[in-house]
Amino acid sequence: MSTFQRILVTGGAGFIGSHVMDALRGRNAQVTVLDDLNDYYSPAIKRANLAACLGAITLIEGDIRDADLIEKTFAEGRFDAVIHLAARAGVRPSWADPELYYSTNVLGTLRLLEACRRHGVKKMVFASSSSVYGINKKVPFAETDLIDRTISPYAASKLSGEQLCANYAYVHDIQCVCLRFFTVYGPRQRPDLAISKFVRHLLNDQPIERYGNGLTQRDYTYIEDIVSGVLSALDYTQTPFEIVNLGGSDTTTLNDLISAIELSVGRTARIIEQPDQPGDVPLTYADVTKARTLFGYTPKTSIREGIKKYVTWVKTGAPA
Ligand code: NAD
């Protein structure tokens, strides 16, 4: 286990961030969250995500692009590690406001790396995305694959983030692990994501919108598997820079996903067919050999099991 004592978690109020916060509670570290609690989805949900941690952490509400705030936060926090999860997330919405995505995800990441350099922080874990593989034809996707076919501003921004991490790792000795998350789901999932929408619509007996013919495939990763990978990346110190896939290492078609949700909810979906969306890729599929080798990572929750757990959470614990 790492010996980091003062950890900054950006985006700690979000879906993945709040689970990382819960996991960090078991460690003897002072944790600060920097999150602007923006209204991409309800800030009340983000506050609720953090509710259980609030007494034990420092929450700073602000923007990772705010240079003065970043300077003050790093000067006061004297961090020894940063887990950088804050971002404008999502492929489709990045086409609606590409500048916002690019400035948050690229300039924001640069500001944090610069602050790490100025303040002697030697460790960063960066949330990248499977979307960087774009329309990669080779499956499963491995970290050694040539990346030159991203098809959304979001994917391009994450790729830039990885490259900035590489720059600072090799030139300024800030050890960086970039994690390529493959479609993450589970309790507190972002409400804009398909599983969240499908489950809620089905429970409320509303039709669901299916984009494309239902044959697109995704590698879905249960949140607990992602959190274990994030903590392993924090603990990993052997090499200056790594890019590592974190996936479920299995693929599910959209139609099979809908069937799994129907089974768990106990209702048949009424489907409204919609055309494919720009930026959506036909397939994601993670080769997790590297994560297994470096971290001992093994995804534990199958899609059927994970969907069941998620449906139970929506029925019993989700904020409205
Ligand atoms: P999320 O939107 O729930 O969490 C992101 C958090 O970052 C939010 O709480 C938001 O308020 C905060 N944030 C956004 N812009 C900010 C800014 N300028 N300053 C400070 N805080 C800001 O998203 P998530 O699904 O938890 O994703 C977490 C990270 O993982 C993101 O970097 C995302 O790109 C990446 N990722 C997620 C998935 C997935 O399937 N959920 C897949 C691949 C990569």
Side-chain angles (χ1 to χ4, degrees):
M1 198 182 285
S2 73
T3 54
F4 297 114
Q5 296 296 306
R6 289 178 299 278
I7 304 172
L8 174 67
V9 181
T10 71
F15 161 43
I16 297 172
S18 63
H19 284 277
V20 168
M21 294 302 300
D22 289 343
L24 286 173
R25 285 166 79 193
R27 295 192 168 199
N28 188 21
Q30 287 173 34
V31 185
T32 299
V33 167
L34 173 60
D35 195 306
D36 68 354
L37 301 171
N38 65 59
D39 63 359
Y40 175 65
Y41 61 89
S42 164
I45 294 179
K46 297 177 184 180
R47 287 187 197 282
N49 287 347
L50 270 188
C53 294
L54 272 182
I57 62 157
T58 305
L59 171 62
I60 298 172
E61 290 187 37
D63 193 320
I64 53 168
R65 293 167 296 175
D66 179 340
D68 292 341
L69 176 70
I70 294 292
E71 178 55 29
K72 185 167 178 280
T73 301
F74 274 71
E76 289 175 358
R78 295 180 296 114
F79 308 116
D80 44 22
V82 175
I83 301 177
H84 175 30
L85 306 170
R88 288 289 172 158
V91 165
R92 287 177 203 159
S94 74
W95 280 112
D97 195 347
E99 285 193 21
L100 174 65
Y101 275 66
Y102 218 75
S103 82
T104 304
N105 299 356
V106 183
L107 180 62
T109 301
L110 179 63
R111 293 241 151 102
L112 289 165
L113 285 163
E114 265 296 292
C116 287
R117 180 187 64 75
R118 284 196 307 274
H119 292 273
V121 182
K122 292 294 180 192
K123 174 83 193 190
M124 180 181 281
V125 177
F126 170 67
S128 185
S129 162
S130 61
S131 64
V132 302
Y133 288 105
I135 48 174
N136 191 17
K137 292 264 186 298
K138 178 197 149 282
V139 287
F141 299 168
E143 297 85 347
T144 46
D145 293 352
L146 179 66
I147 302 288
D148 62 357
R149 286 154 197 241
T150 63
I151 54 165
S152 66
Y154 170 66
S157 74
K158 287 290 174 184
L159 193 54
S160 300
E162 289 182 357
Q163 288 302 305
L164 287 170
C165 286
N167 299 169
Y168 281 76
Y170 291 122
V171 177
H172 294 299
D173 195 25
I174 298 168
Q175 197 241 346
C176 291
V177 183
C178 300
L179 299 171
R180 290 180 178 163
F181 299 154
F182 283 67
T183 317
V184 190
Y185 73 104
R188 304 182 195 153
Q189 188 188 33
R190 293 202 325 263
D192 59 309
L193 293 177
I195 292 177
S196 170
K197 286 203 272 194
F198 289 172
V199 168
R200 284 160 213 265
H201 283 213
L202 222 62
L203 284 169
N204 294 326
D205 209 10
Q206 291 165 341
I208 62 175
E209 291 189 325
R210 187 191 68 195
Y211 294 99
N213 59 10
L215 299 179
T216 51
Q217 295 173 66
R218 289 282 172 281
D219 188 337
Y220 293 100
T221 322
Y222 194 65
I223 184 68
E224 285 171 13
D225 291 322
I226 290 292
V227 170
S228 86
V230 171
L231 294 190
S232 298
L234 183 67
D235 292 338
Y236 176 84
T237 51
Q238 281 85 327
T239 49
F241 177 75
E242 295 294 347
I243 292 174
V244 185
N245 288 340
L246 290 183
S249 199
D250 194 7
T251 59
T252 305
T253 66
L254 187 51
N255 287 336
D256 285 345
L257 175 74
I258 293 170
S259 301
I261 293 173
E262 288 176 327
L263 194 71
S264 285
V265 172
R267 256 188 205 151
T268 305
R270 284 178 288 134
I271 293 173
I272 300 172
E273 294 188 9
Q274 297 285 6
D276 278 323
Q277 294 293 292
D280 275 359
V281 297
L283 166 74
T284 65
Y285 182 10
D287 180 338
V288 295
T289 310
K290 185 171 178 184
R292 192 177 305 120
T293 308
L294 296 187
F295 306 155
Y297 170 85
T298 319
K300 294 196 173 61
T301 306
S302 69
I303 185 74
R304 279 185 186 258
E305 241 180 291
I307 290 291
K308 225 160 126 187
K309 288 187 188 184
Y310 180 69
V311 169
T312 304
W313 177 76
V314 174
K315 281 180 172 170
T316 57

